Amino acid sequence: MRNSENRPRRSRGRLGVWLIGARGQVATCIIAGAAAIRRGLADRTGLVTALPELAGLDLAPVEELVFGGHEIRSWSLRDSAAEINRRAGSLSRELNRAVARDLDAADRNVALGTALGCGPTIRKLAGARQLPEDGRPLARLVDGLRRDLEQFRRKNRLDRLVMVNVASTEPVGEAPRCGVSLAAFRRALAANRREPNLAAAQLYAYVALEAGIPYVNFTPSVASEIPALLELAELQGLPHAGKDGKTGETLVKSALAPMFAARNLDVLSWEGHNLLGNLDGLVLDDPRSNAVKAASKEKLLRQVLGATSPNLHSRVRIDYCPSVDDWKIAWDFVHFRGFLGTKMILQFIWQGCDSMLAAPLVLDLARLVDLAARRGERGLQTQLACFFKNPLGATKHGLGEQFADLLAYARAAAPAWGRD
Amino acid sequence: MRNSENRPRRSRGRLGVWLIGARGQVATCIIAGAAAIRRGLADRTGLVTALPELAGLDLAPVEELVFGGHEIRSWSLRDSAAEINRRAGSLSRELNRAVARDLDAADRNVALGTALGCGPTIRKLAGARQLPEDGRPLARLVDGLRRDLEQFRRKNRLDRLVMVNVASTEPVGEAPRCGVSLAAFRRALAANRREPNLAAAQLYAYVALEAGIPYVNFTPSVASEIPALLELAELQGLPHAGKDGKTGETLVKSALAPMFAARNLDVLSWEGHNLLGNLDGLVLDDPRSNAVKAASKEKLLRQVLGATSPNLHSRVRIDYCPSVDDWKIAWDFVHFRGFLGTKMILQFIWQGCDSMLAAPLVLDLARLVDLAARRGERGLQTQLACFFKNPLGATKHGLGEQFADLLAYARAAAPAWGRD
Amino acid sequence: MRNSENRPRRSRGRLGVWLIGARGQVATCIIAGAAAIRRGLADRTGLVTALPELAGLDLAPVEELVFGGHEIRSWSLRDSAAEINRRAGSLSRELNRAVARDLDAADRNVALGTALGCGPTIRKLAGARQLPEDGRPLARLVDGLRRDLEQFRRKNRLDRLVMVNVASTEPVGEAPRCGVSLAAFRRALAANRREPNLAAAQLYAYVALEAGIPYVNFTPSVASEIPALLELAELQGLPHAGKDGKTGETLVKSALAPMFAARNLDVLSWEGHNLLGNLDGLVLDDPRSNAVKAASKEKLLRQVLGATSPNLHSRVRIDYCPSVDDWKIAWDFVHFRGFLGTKMILQFIWQGCDSMLAAPLVLDLARLVDLAARRGERGLQTQLACFFKNPLGATKHGLGEQFADLLAYARAAAPAWGRD
Amino acid sequence: MRNSENRPRRSRGRLGVWLIGARGQVATCIIAGAAAIRRGLADRTGLVTALPELAGLDLAPVEELVFGGHEIRSWSLRDSAAEINRRAGSLSRELNRAVARDLDAADRNVALGTALGCGPTIRKLAGARQLPEDGRPLARLVDGLRRDLEQFRRKNRLDRLVMVNVASTEPVGEAPRCGVSLAAFRRALAANRREPNLAAAQLYAYVALEAGIPYVNFTPSVASEIPALLELAELQGLPHAGKDGKTGETLVKSALAPMFAARNLDVLSWEGHNLLGNLDGLVLDDPRSNAVKAASKEKLLRQVLGATSPNLHSRVRIDYCPSVDDWKIAWDFVHFRGFLGTKMILQFIWQGCDSMLAAPLVLDLARLVDLAARRGERGLQTQLACFFKNPLGATKHGLGEQFADLLAYARAAAPAWGRD
């Protein structure tokens, strides 16, 4: 998976970060946050790449990232920032004022995206406006998306791009039939064959990889993991990573579940209840999106606890609760059996500001996948497993061992340690 | 710390486990539990040494362990088991009945211990009976303890012994002045100089190490870590380990704290409140014992979070709450700062049956320190760090990295993997 | 609703308590518990009627109650008690042994019941055995149930009977069409017209009221509140009460919700998540029964908070979690807005042993509805509102005001206070 | 306690509210909040007197209250509001800007107060400035405080005054010896006899009552309940009330504890742990103030649960945790015994913004005690019990019954309902 040279091209030059869902809450916090750091108004708390252990890596500076992206909603980034301030309070009015021009600059880089296959709940976000897929064949739709990226690069004189999907969860749980191979996928596009499971996230990933752009899927939607796109990434020699950013309840689970395994405790039940109030929550009120999300969250436990907890019963509930806005509340009830069959209980309650947990991780991933590309690494980047609920290509699911992998990668990739 | 050969003497032969606090709740659960396993009445849930990853180690079989120990209370192990059944319910009447003769057999191996320097709360457990330290010089007291061990070995035809301290927390937080060197320690014993900080746990550890017996401190009391005893262990070429078994709140903390560090989140406050109802709790109602215990629990956070959470405020409360009996309830409130200064909260509630969490770990430690002795390993056994709140000699405090060390040790020590 | 005389017929004579679901967990705890009290093995904790404030009432002594009932399962009360011991641990082996003959005596009073309209999940409890409704017209089915009651009365030389439904929640949320009037209901029975919503709980209530027996519905099933049966109770001059015993999460809600109202705090969200592991939980895994139960739990909040929390969002989740057995775990998250719009949070976690909470309340209700009958009170007994999640006929939903009503009733009904 | 006429003098005329601790967090929120309501920027959520049930009372309008008070700190109300915004976030910058001139107006009514007997922690708040008690006899100190009130009245052309103590908890748990009678109290002042327990709160209350001003003690400090001041209030025919506003954990306890009593459940343990981060918390880091506060919080349980829970073990911990600022976090663990001795658990977690919970209650109390004065009611106002942790003179401690008393009072006192 890693190239033999391990000598990254230098990070000089400008890196553009193309966000799918470019005016959503996560994107707004990313763009506002990077601007706040550039302006010296915020520190780097929450950025994994700011840890001393990763200091040796030749990463693109957060201060110099340029943002753009696809979006189907018509409001502005300023509107979105104001809304976050008004509802969750996590972006202060002072900060929003200080970065207003940065938000505007990014806004000028936002192009109209697609909601192909995203179902009515997501489609509603676009209001009455026509989207590219309406009455346009798929091949032209894809061409349009590609041109948006080219224009972003040209207009901003960017040297390199990465694409990160931070859009709403699509209600599609399976790969499309045409995803079985790159050839079949291309034939479907050419023939304008709109299978039900062919959806926006895949088109975006296809456009990125075809254009030589590393790709990160921060959502649970089905994207670069379909065979067609695995093939394309390999063909293009590009790194990609996913999926579903590990920001809250699952993060805690991936830290706690290995504890039970390491103590040979038999977890009988692990029941999780999540409350969400933001747009993410509204979209997850759609039972299909909800099922995709819940499935993404449930894998971890069986993988970590399979050997020691053969009878594990687990369930993940995700409910929309408008008043909590961008705050995600999770209660987990863990019932386990110890020595001589004694039953015991661990419960936790998580109260996290979702976008503020996601935003720095997206900055991390953009920088790390860009580094991987410069180092010539291709395919699924398993050293990034600690960032994802559902780490594609990875076999480790405990947070500790995933993080150890990232540190080992960092030691190997740091010029100071490197063999170059 | 490890010998060069790594070839353990074969585990054939009988291993005796000498417990300090031999009729306490933990000891009772250890002895009843091992008997239940021997009789096929219980599985090995909770035993770390029963994990597949440790299967290759040449450990003394749990079924063949022989138990004895020192105790200052006059009740019997049967009484203790009945009391546990009546109050916490964690030992069932059926199990108690099935192992009654095993408890009696161990009871016959229990000798009268010492409460030197243990303060009035612990002393009260002995009731009106005279203890060895009453009107007997220290040298004779120590001789008596040693003879108890010899008699145990002889009477039960044991090939090897280990000593594990599972007694109540002593109200002594500092090493005695005479603990500065082995010579000074021996002079104090010879001169019968009873410093306030010279207490039972140190005498027991001294007796064990002098008699060539590996030693484990499962309590927060000050014992084999004083310079005099470190020197003695080195001199005798013996392994020892401690201290304070990691069974509940601290176990969870050591699993969760690294998560905050790995995400570069700034923990502002970590407040823990423990409720205990058993004898341990009663002893901890003594403010001095309480301070010793709380200090033992507080180190971890600064060690794991020091780099990422420079302003951490933490406090550990331990309160006696009779109705919870052997159940330990802990509520932890973790307040942390993420991206752009956003404050968030994680809370957990632990409801664990303390003795049932401790008992299997003591069986693990007895077996692992015996293995270390046979492998010729001497000094503090840092591969056992994952078992302790306050892992003497160890530099790692996250549970994940500690457990990785144990697995690495197991791979190195397993004959199948070994280089012998 | 109360008669003018208020002079109860004396409670001398024997009271029989006929339980629908006579070998279920609740029934088993009721029968074992009453026997334990009679035998001096248990105190009266949990019995509302044992409070000093109710001491003046001329209630049938708990020690003299005689139990019988309808059941569709074939196992014995001893089996059920042993199962409760094995799984939830709440009935000890000693107690089960001590009351074994009392359980047997009650078992001899159990007759085969009906599962008409109860759906496949409940029907499955009967196994392969034929139930009375199979191939027998409704009129004969009803006659058979009535004969069971007569036989119980005769065989045990009972002076009075009460019927209490403690069976599983039926998957029927609406009254049957024929329930519109007593005449229509009787016509449907005579014509053997099996509407989908005509179900066992209604037949039982019909049989009781027709036979002059006061009736209590401790379940959320649709029973004596349908117009046909309200009419019958009135005609017969009989008291009845319901529905759905308030034993856990809803009990706490009814104590807490008035606090928010009394402080003029604006509750934005009240989200409850219940975990159940007993048969009740299994039955509620059927989405239809679940919906009936959840609806029964949700009314309270709007009634108590309607005036002060106009925008309340509430949801009640009930999930089956086998490992918790008879323990009901509930997490409630209450998000509220205070002065100057400040949002705050109250959460609670309930860990209650459901049958042990229900059993004493059923004893209370049997005694209190019998008293009401002797006092000549007819119709829905609103002084019993504090016992029910969904208090039929009552306008008060705060626990405090409901309890005040019970106390006022007790003062009025106690001979010592009475004006007779 | 109530006069026979019950005809209040009309509320026309201006009411001044004199706050002890006039620039503290609570006072700042009171003054800012009343201004926000006057300016139409906030609704009346959190004000009990805004409930429909109290609408008939002839209360002084919130919009027309005039604020002043005593304070020992030198910062301004604007500073305090800015600090609250910066730390707890509960006063927004917009609101602070909108009410800045209102804060300034109140600030001009603030006079230098006394910290007599308040100990070093509170004294430190005054910094280096001299306080009136420094080198001035008590009689002159008291005269000075009285003149401050007169000047407030005159300057603002007020028709009536009320005094409310919202200052920090004093480290004094007992009445001073001279408090035994009004004569003894006055002699001590005249003789400048500074007993250790004679402290500021008593002097303020004395000054108010002597000047004909109704008095409310919103703190746990010892004030108007000492015999000397009870006598003075009676003599002057003045209403007074206290003590210790019921805003958080104790509010929830007073709602929940009656539930256990009403169900005849035997509460074994009720353990509460409070985390506070504001100045209140800092002051409570002084063990003496802490003991006064904890004692104030502990009475309730024994009073409500005494009859049904004879063996109750309870403890209240209050710990300073700077990062939570004005947010008070409380975890309560309630362990109770139900039918057949089954042990069960209820836990709750409270996350309340303390000043925002207190502020509207102070507005309520000021209005209600002013009404009582106009109605000629004298002595301790027990209809206000629901507002206090430690309701002086009241025998009811359950929130429900206390609130019922307030509603009964409101019905009696409302002109529309009155018999006058």
Side-chain angles (χ1 to χ4, degrees), chain B residues 268-269 271 273 275 313 315 317 319-325 329 331 333 335 343 345 347 349 351, chain D residues 268-269 271 273 275 313 315 317 319-325 329 331 333 335 343 345 347 349 351:
Chain B
L268 304 169
S269 304
E271 312 283 319
H273 193 172
L275 301 176
H313 178 277
R315 190 189 320 248
R317 287 274 186 201
D319 281 338
Y320 182 50
C321 170
S323 70
V324 300
D325 295 327
I329 314 292
W331 168 66
F333 174 84
H335 202 193
K343 285 182 175 183
I345 296 172
Q347 299 173 77
I349 297 170
Q351 297 171 256
Chain D
L268 304 169
S269 305
E271 312 284 318
H273 193 169
L275 302 176
H313 178 277
R315 191 188 321 249
R317 288 273 185 201
D319 281 338
Y320 181 50
C321 170
S323 70
V324 301
D325 295 326
I329 315 292
W331 169 66
F333 174 84
H335 202 193
K343 285 181 175 182
I345 296 171
Q347 299 171 78
I349 297 169
Q351 297 170 258

Side-chain angles (χ1 to χ4, degrees), chain A residues 82-411:
Chain A
E83 173 84 357
I84 292 170
N85 169 260
R86 201 180 57 75
R87 297 192 50 183
S90 45
L91 286 177
S92 71
R93 280 167 68 112
E94 296 76 51
L95 191 130
N96 283 351
R97 203 171 303 127
V99 303
R101 280 192 298 182
D102 306 284
L103 295 173
D104 293 347
D107 239 349
R108 287 189 292 269
N109 292 327
V110 175
L112 183 64
T114 170
L116 184 82
C118 291
T121 310
I122 291 178
R123 173 70 210 225
K124 227 179 311 175
L125 301 175
R129 65 204 306 208
Q130 265 217 337
L131 293 183
E133 63 268 28
D134 301 335
R136 209 191 302 189
L138 290 178
R140 279 191 51 211
L141 163 55
V142 162
D143 280 347
L145 300 175
R146 187 185 304 118
R147 272 198 304 275
D148 297 332
L149 282 158
E150 279 162 21
Q151 191 176 358
F152 174 53
R153 184 197 300 261
R154 205 173 47 242
K155 215 179 71 180
N156 295 278
R157 287 188 302 269
L158 302 169
D159 297 283
R160 305 180 313 280
L161 286 186
V162 297
M163 178 189 283
V164 187
N165 186 352
V166 291
S168 299
T169 302
E170 299 179 355
V172 170
E174 304 288 327
R177 291 239 306 272
C178 67
V180 73
S181 72
L182 183 54
F185 193 78
R186 284 178 165 156
R187 275 196 304 274
L189 296 184
N192 193 28
R193 207 162 54 238
R194 302 182 176 215
E195 289 185 33
N197 287 347
L198 182 66
Q202 299 145 26
L203 296 190
Y204 286 125
Y206 173 75
V207 166
L209 294 171
E210 224 195 18
I213 297 171
Y215 173 81
V216 176
N217 185 4
F218 204 75
T219 79
S221 302
V222 174
S224 74
E225 77 267 35
I226 65 174
L229 299 181
L230 290 172
E231 194 183 333
L232 178 57
E234 198 59 35
L235 198 74
Q236 297 277 71
L238 282 172
H240 59 129
K243 66 179 194 180
D244 205 2
K246 186 153 75 177
T247 53
E249 187 210 19
T250 310
L251 176 66
V252 182
K253 280 163 107 162
S254 75
L256 278 177
M259 178 188 82
F260 293 100
R263 282 296 197 249
N264 198 12
L265 296 165
D266 179 14
V267 179
L268 304 168
S269 304
W270 194 310
E271 312 283 320
H273 193 170
N274 293 266
L275 302 176
L276 286 84
N278 57 15
L279 181 61
D280 199 19
L282 187 60
V283 167
L284 292 174
D285 231 17
D286 177 329
R288 288 199 303 155
S289 290
N290 198 301
V292 170
K293 185 79 179 183
S296 180
K297 289 170 78 83
E298 282 195 35
K299 281 176 196 165
L300 159 78
L301 290 182
R302 290 187 195 282
Q303 283 157 329
V304 175
L305 297 175
T308 49
S309 303
N311 304 309
L312 175 64
H313 178 276
S314 79
R315 190 189 321 247
V316 178
R317 287 273 186 203
I318 310 171
D319 281 338
Y320 181 51
C321 170
S323 71
V324 300
D325 295 327
D326 192 35
W327 288 82
K328 190 184 279 173
I329 315 291
W331 169 66
D332 275 48
F333 173 84
V334 188
H335 202 195
F336 61 99
R337 210 173 58 88
F339 197 50
L340 305 184
T342 311
K343 285 182 175 181
M344 312 183 218
I345 296 171
L346 174 66
Q347 299 173 75
F348 71 81
I349 297 169
W350 172 262
Q351 297 171 255
C353 185
D354 221 38
S355 305
M356 283 303 166
L357 288 159
L361 300 185
V362 172
L363 293 171
D364 289 327
L365 285 164
R367 301 170 80 198
L368 287 165
V369 81
D370 170 58
L371 174 69
R374 283 184 283 121
R375 285 169 50 85
E377 290 156 358
R378 63 176 63 186
L380 289 167
Q381 300 296 302
T382 55
Q383 79 279 9
L384 303 179
C386 71
F387 290 97
F388 297 109
K389 286 195 190 69
N390 191 353
L392 299 173
T395 55
K396 296 181 184 166
H397 293 83
L399 180 65
E401 53 189 357
Q402 292 173 336
F403 187 58
D405 276 2
L406 180 63
L407 295 188
Y409 172 87
R411 278 192 299 273

Side-chain angles (χ1 to χ4, degrees), chain A residues 3-55:
Chain A
N3 75 343
S4 53
E5 284 214 358
N6 280 335
R7 183 180 299 143
R9 282 161 273 156
R10 289 291 305 285
S11 73
R12 76 164 67 88
R14 287 155 63 83
L15 176 63
V17 180
W18 188 262
L19 300 168
I20 309 305
R23 288 168 183 145
Q25 287 204 53
V26 173
T28 307
C29 293
I30 293 165
I31 298 166
I37 289 173
R38 181 169 57 247
R39 293 181 179 278
L41 302 171
D43 65 22
R44 284 157 209 262
T45 301
L47 275 166
V48 175
T49 46
L51 286 171
E53 295 93 328
L54 278 72

Side-chain angles (χ1 to χ4, degrees), chain B residues 3-260:
Chain B
N3 74 346
S4 54
E5 284 215 359
N6 279 335
R7 182 179 301 144
R9 281 161 275 157
R10 291 288 307 283
S11 73
R12 75 163 69 90
R14 287 155 62 83
L15 177 63
V17 180
W18 189 261
L19 301 168
I20 308 305
R23 288 169 182 143
Q25 287 204 54
V26 173
T28 307
C29 293
I30 292 166
I31 298 167
I37 289 173
R38 181 169 58 247
R39 293 181 180 278
L41 303 171
D43 65 21
R44 283 156 211 264
T45 301
L47 276 166
V48 174
T49 46
L51 285 171
E53 295 92 329
L54 278 74
L57 294 175
D58 177 30
L59 300 170
V62 172
E63 293 87 339
E64 300 176 12
L65 301 175
V66 178
F67 296 96
H70 279 118
E71 179 54 80
I72 60 170
R73 288 163 287 194
S74 53
W75 65 59
S76 70
L77 277 162
R78 273 199 200 214
D79 293 342
S80 181
E83 174 83 359
I84 293 170
N85 169 259
R86 199 179 59 74
R87 297 191 51 184
S90 45
L91 286 177
S92 70
R93 280 166 69 111
E94 296 75 52
L95 190 130
N96 283 350
R97 203 171 303 127
V99 303
R101 282 192 297 183
D102 306 284
L103 295 174
D104 293 345
D107 238 349
R108 286 189 293 271
N109 292 327
V110 175
L112 184 63
T114 172
L116 185 83
C118 291
T121 309
I122 291 178
R123 173 71 210 225
K124 227 181 309 175
L125 302 175
R129 64 200 310 204
Q130 265 216 337
L131 293 183
E133 62 270 28
D134 300 334
R136 209 189 300 188
L138 290 178
R140 279 192 52 209
L141 163 56
V142 161
D143 279 348
L145 300 175
R146 188 186 305 117
R147 271 198 304 277
D148 297 333
L149 282 158
E150 279 161 21
Q151 194 177 353
F152 174 53
R153 184 197 299 261
R154 207 175 44 243
K155 215 179 70 179
N156 295 278
R157 287 190 300 270
L158 300 169
D159 298 283
R160 304 180 315 279
L161 287 184
V162 296
M163 179 189 281
V164 186
N165 186 353
V166 291
S168 298
T169 302
E170 299 179 356
V172 170
E174 302 290 326
R177 292 239 304 272
C178 68
V180 71
S181 73
L182 183 54
F185 193 78
R186 284 178 165 154
R187 275 196 303 275
L189 295 185
N192 193 28
R193 209 161 54 238
R194 302 181 175 214
E195 289 185 33
N197 286 348
L198 182 66
Q202 299 145 26
L203 295 190
Y204 287 124
Y206 173 73
V207 165
L209 294 171
E210 221 196 18
I213 297 171
Y215 173 82
V216 176
N217 186 5
F218 204 76
T219 79
S221 301
V222 174
S224 73
E225 77 267 34
I226 65 174
L229 299 181
L230 290 171
E231 194 182 334
L232 179 56
E234 197 58 36
L235 197 73
Q236 295 278 72
L238 284 171
H240 59 129
K243 68 182 195 180
D244 206 4
K246 186 153 75 177
T247 53
E249 187 210 20
T250 311
L251 175 67
V252 182
K253 280 162 108 162
S254 75
L256 279 178
M259 177 188 85
F260 293 100

